[in-house]
Amino acid sequence: MSLYTENTSGLVKRRTEATMAAAANSKRQAQSDDDDNNSDCEKNMESDKDMRLTLLEEILLLGLKDREGYTSFWNDCISSGLRGCILVELALRGRIQLEKQQARRKSLLVRKIRSKNDAPTGDVILDEALNHIRRSGAEEGVQGWIDLLSGETWNPLKLHFQLRNVRERIAKNLVEKGVLSTGKQNFLLFDLTTHPVCDDTVKTRLIKRIQEAVLSKWPNDISKMDRRTLALIYLAHASDVLENAFQPLSDEDYDVAMRRVRHLLEIDVEDQSTHSNNNELMWAVVSAYLK
């Protein structure tokens, strides 16, 4: 009886020690996994922080002259292009969408824009446009809303849909993010508030992303291209600032880049919008600028 008791207690002791050792190993492994996860989260947060620019901010940044801090006076496309950016940004964030297809299929530009999610985006310009779309009750498609947000309407009852001082407000957002600074320049008859680039790395990274998209990372199937980058290329072309991203390229790379951009401009937009992983409203905006 005594021998059995001793053997039993020894067995229990060995089992207890083994359990404690296993628990300790499990705890160390869990702590190691937590450290790895925290490290990955920190890396993702840093990456997100680096790219925390809206399409509007990226387009304006591409169009700004680095030292002068203003866009070209000859560029009469960027205003309309920025309104398209607003619609695409809201669509990519799941706030708006095109009306559902009926029995008879409609083209992208005929379908009306509908509010999908009323949650604020945290961006003043985007939220203002979202409120216009949500509360207006206006039966407008993509081209109609681009015109309304630009103030290009003959209907005085719809002038309140116009977004004012968009470029200046976007520039102030970039100033708050430390990308731009604020200054003034005298043009004889008036003083112009300017926003020179103060963080070259952000714009350099943006330009590199566009260049890589049409050169080293160019896919054979554009449906595999990142949606935001693809939208950025189309909107930069519509805003007449895409050329700024290709100026540093060699002649050979420039020819390749422009050939691939032309390929993007010649694709069947209606067909692309039918792919399951594509955003219909984004392609509707593209169609409005390519028509």
Side-chain angles (χ1 to χ4, degrees):
M1 181 68 179
S2 176
L3 180 60
Y4 177 76
T5 302
E6 289 177 0
N7 289 341
T8 303
S9 61
L11 180 61
V12 171
K13 183 177 180 180
R14 285 194 298 273
R15 284 180 176 174
T16 302
E17 290 174 348
T19 302
M20 292 176 64
N25 289 333
S26 177
K27 184 176 180 180
R28 284 194 298 271
Q29 182 64 39
Q31 184 175 3
S32 177
D33 292 342
D34 289 341
D35 291 341
D36 291 341
N37 291 334
N38 291 336
S39 177
D40 291 340
C41 288
E42 289 174 359
K43 291 178 180 178
N44 290 334
M45 288 175 64
E46 290 175 0
S47 177
D48 290 344
K49 184 178 180 181
D50 289 341
M51 300 303 295
R52 191 76 68 179
L53 297 182
T54 64
L55 288 169
L56 294 89
E57 292 165 347
E58 290 175 330
I59 293 299
L60 182 65
L61 190 57
L62 282 174
L64 281 176
K65 299 180 180 180
D66 291 1
R67 294 184 179 180
E68 292 85 350
Y70 53 82
T71 58
S72 172
F73 294 128
W74 308 107
N75 188 338
D76 57 355
C77 301
I78 193 169
S79 179
S80 174
L82 289 173
R83 271 64 179 185
C85 289
I86 292 173
L87 297 180
V88 174
E89 187 72 49
L90 289 173
L92 293 178
R93 296 189 184 201
R95 298 305 196 276
I96 59 175
Q97 61 183 359
L98 290 180
E99 63 179 345
K100 301 298 183 183
Q101 287 281 18
Q102 303 298 326
R104 185 172 65 86
R105 186 172 181 81
K106 297 180 180 179
S107 67
L108 292 171
L109 293 180
V110 173
R111 295 162 65 185
K112 311 304 181 184
I113 291 181
R114 298 283 184 261
S115 175
K116 181 180 180 182
N117 185 342
D118 297 340
T121 64
D123 183 280
V124 176
I125 299 176
L126 295 178
D127 288 340
E128 184 179 344
L130 181 60
N131 285 334
H132 283 326
I133 295 172
R134 181 169 58 89
R135 298 175 180 176
S136 68
E139 291 291 316
E140 297 286 350
V142 164
Q143 185 61 63
W145 272 112
I146 290 176
D147 292 341
L148 289 177
L149 296 176
S150 301
E152 296 179 1
T153 176
W154 293 102
N155 188 341
L157 299 178
K158 294 184 177 182
L159 286 174
H160 65 282
F161 290 131
Q162 181 182 4
L163 299 180
R164 302 181 183 278
N165 303 318
V166 170
R167 268 180 270 190
E168 182 63 24
R169 291 158 70 185
I170 297 172
K172 287 182 178 179
N173 288 344
L174 290 171
V175 170
E176 292 177 359
K177 294 178 180 181
V179 180
L180 304 180
S181 59
T182 302
K184 282 190 179 295
Q185 186 165 339
N186 180 268
F187 286 91
L188 297 179
L189 299 178
F190 61 93
D191 288 334
L192 177 69
T193 300
T194 60
H195 297 284
V197 176
C198 64
D199 187 349
D200 295 334
T201 59
V202 176
K203 187 168 184 177
T204 300
R205 188 163 50 242
L206 173 61
I207 290 174
K208 182 179 179 182
R209 179 156 64 97
I210 295 175
Q211 292 175 352
E212 289 180 343
V214 294
L215 292 174
S216 61
K217 295 183 179 179
W218 174 258
N220 293 325
D221 182 2
I222 68 166
S223 63
K224 298 178 181 179
M225 187 181 291
D226 175 65
R227 296 295 92 188
R228 288 190 67 88
T229 303
L230 183 60
L232 176 62
I233 293 173
Y234 276 116
L235 292 167
H237 177 269
S239 304
D240 197 19
V241 297
L242 185 58
E243 184 77 15
N244 298 345
F246 295 155
Q247 285 179 353
L249 294 175
S250 65
D251 291 342
E252 182 179 354
D253 286 342
Y254 178 85
D255 290 339
V256 173
M258 292 306 299
R259 184 169 65 251
R260 288 171 175 172
V261 169
R262 285 193 296 271
H263 170 71
L264 292 177
L265 299 178
E266 293 170 357
I267 65 172
D268 187 338
V269 176
E270 295 284 346
D271 178 65
Q272 286 294 322
S273 68
T274 61
H275 295 180
S276 59
N277 63 330
N278 281 342
N279 188 297
E280 288 184 317
L281 202 149
M282 183 196 86
W283 286 108
V285 172
V286 172
S287 179
Y289 289 123
L290 296 183
K291 68 177 183 178

